[in-house]
């Protein structure tokens, strides 16, 4: 049964196809874009306007989820084999797509691009590999295209293929828009509640030099400590995990299936977090990463069982449908607005048996606070400041590596588009035991809470 927004969207897309072959839909993460797209495909098939459907998406996990959804709605195989109505592939497969192009050259094809912002380039500007491939070959294959996105911009500001932009503002123009405000009012998505944890006082000692800072922002501006280094501190991790675990435990009293997501900065960081969860909290967690071949199976297993925590390294960021996720402990050092919103979307998928609020815990890194406050302006709610009762007495900084000393905005080595196999493994004890080249003391934590309500 389609939701009301999905019915309106299908109608608008089909209306657009009467005059144009391409349509772009912006819908907030968790609203149900894939189901909507499957009904567009079903209508076109029933009306004999297309013969075949090709879907592209960012990851194998999302690609598999799309295949399952389309098979349910179309009641036919969607595995690309003989007798199937279509196929679901990743954007990575675009670099080797000639066979598919040749096989479908005489067919009428609907091509669906999930999270189209992963592609870049409009034919007259710079393009990434997927954007160029999309423009040069896939678009020629398609009788119709349907592009889907929950975050209609790219961090590198490159244009998105098949999108139209307003002039002179340069804003993307969508054929249908369904934002988070509407989704919360319609009870399609949970309302987010973001808790940003800051500190009142940070003492940094380096040799004979000693400096005091009043917040994480001041500490980062000093240049002594990077955000990546802060995230590695065991006391910081313990405090952030304690807040997240306390909230998830509370939610699981009402629904034992409630789950939590921890987003780490690297594979080593994930191992550190896992060790702390086990040793300090007596809690187990599954790690998923692009470097682990069985991660798609682990994600599917976590989706279906009732275990508490899953730790992700650039894996569960968008399109991954795990509705039982209700709490997120955001410990990644990627601080772009795109990634922030993608992660937030993982805890906003509404279910009938769970809370109507998704809870995210972050450190008060200045960019993350800016994004959260910007959301709060769009969705009026509450914003208050409070001190936590727990105090952090001291934290020893981890080994200062070349990467740690770099800019806090230099996150490319941890993005999912890169080869995470290049990251070296450390033993758990090597991760937890640090050589303290500098030391900073936090007298107390304080929290800023940004809540969104309809």
């Amino acid at each position: 049964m389609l939701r009301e927004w999905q019915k309106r969207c299908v109608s608008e897309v089909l209306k657009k196809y009467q005059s144009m072959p391409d349509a772009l839909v912006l819908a907030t993460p968790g609203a149900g874009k894939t189901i909507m797209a499957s009904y567009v495909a079903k209508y076109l098939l029933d009306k004999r306007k297309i013969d075949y459907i090709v879907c592209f998406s960012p990851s194998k996990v999302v690609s598999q989820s799309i295949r399952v959804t389309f098979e349910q709605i179309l009641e036919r195989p969607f595995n690309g084999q003989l007798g199937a109505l279509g196929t679901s592939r990743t954007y990575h497969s675009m670099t080797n797509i000639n066979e598919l192009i040749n096989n479908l050259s005489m067919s009428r094809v609907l091509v669906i691009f999930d999270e189209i912002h992963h592609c870049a380039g409009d034919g007259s500007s710079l393009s990434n590999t997927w954007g160029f491939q999309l423009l040069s070959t896939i678009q020629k294959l398609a009788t119709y295209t349907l592009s889907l996105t929950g975050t209609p911009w790219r961090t590198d500001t490159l244009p998105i293929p098949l999108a139209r932009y307003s002039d002179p503002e340069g804003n993307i123009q969508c054929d249908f828009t369904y934002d988070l405000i509407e989704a919360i009012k319609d009870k399609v998505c949970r309302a987010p509640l973001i808790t940003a944890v800051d500190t009142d006082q940070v003492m940094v000692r380096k040799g004979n030099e000693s400096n005091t800072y009043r917040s994480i922002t001041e500490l980062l501006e000093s240049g002594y400590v990077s955000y990546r280094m802060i995230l590695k501190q065991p006391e910081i991790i313990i405090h952030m995990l304690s807040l997240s675990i306390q909230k998830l435990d509370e939610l699981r009293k009402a629904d034992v299936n409630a789950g939590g997501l921890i987003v780490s900065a690297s594979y080593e960081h994930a191992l550190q977090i896992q060790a702390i969860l086990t040793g300090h909290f007596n809690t187990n967690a599954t790690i998923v990463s692009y470097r682990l071949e069985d991660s798609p199976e682990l994600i599917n297993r976590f989706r279906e069982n009732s275990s508490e925590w899953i730790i992700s390294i650039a894996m569960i960021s968008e399109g991954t449908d795990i509705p039982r996720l209700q709490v997120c402990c955001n410990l990644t050092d990627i601080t772009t607005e795109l990634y922030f919103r993608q992660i937030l979307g993982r805890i906003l998928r509404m279910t009938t048996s769970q809370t109507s609020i998704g809870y995210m815990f972050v450190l008060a890194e200045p960019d993350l606070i800016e994004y959260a406050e910007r959301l709060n302006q769009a969705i009026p709610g509450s914003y208050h400041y409070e001190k936590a009762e727990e105090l952090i007495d001291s934290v020893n900084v981890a080994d200062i590596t070349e990467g740690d000393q770099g800019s806090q905005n230099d996150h490319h080595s941890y993005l999912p588009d890169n080869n995470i196999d290049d990251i070296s493994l450390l033993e758990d004890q090597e991760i937890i035991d640090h050589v303290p080249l500098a030391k900073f003391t936090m007298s107390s934590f304080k929290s800023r809470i940004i809540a969104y309500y309809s």
Side-chain angles (χ1 to χ4, degrees), residues 417-435:
D417 292 349
N418 289 272
N419 184 6
I420 204 163
D421 290 331
D422 292 338
I423 302 174
S424 61
L425 274 171
L426 299 176
E427 295 296 329
D428 288 1
Q429 196 60 39
E430 292 179 321
I431 298 167
I432 298 173
D433 293 341
H434 306 299
V435 179

Side-chain angles (χ1 to χ4, degrees), residues 391-406:
L391 301 180
I392 298 296
D393 294 325
S394 65
V395 179
N396 289 328
V397 176
D399 294 342
I400 299 179
T401 64
E402 182 179 353
D404 286 332
Q405 292 175 321

Side-chain angles (χ1 to χ4, degrees), residues 221-232:
E221 290 176 348
S222 74
Y224 282 108
V225 179
S226 72
Y227 187 49
R228 187 178 301 173
M229 292 164 61
I230 295 174
L231 290 169
K232 290 181 179 179

Side-chain angles (χ1 to χ4, degrees), residues 10-46:
V10 170
S11 178
E12 288 297 318
V13 169
L14 295 175
K15 181 179 178 181
K16 175 69 184 299
Y17 286 160
Q18 294 177 10
S19 58
M20 296 286 291
D22 307 312
L24 173 61
V25 171
L26 165 61
T28 189
K33 293 186 289 294
T34 302
I35 292 177
M36 179 280 301
S38 70
Y39 275 86
V40 170
K42 179 176 173 56
Y43 178 89
L44 294 176
L45 284 169
D46 291 345

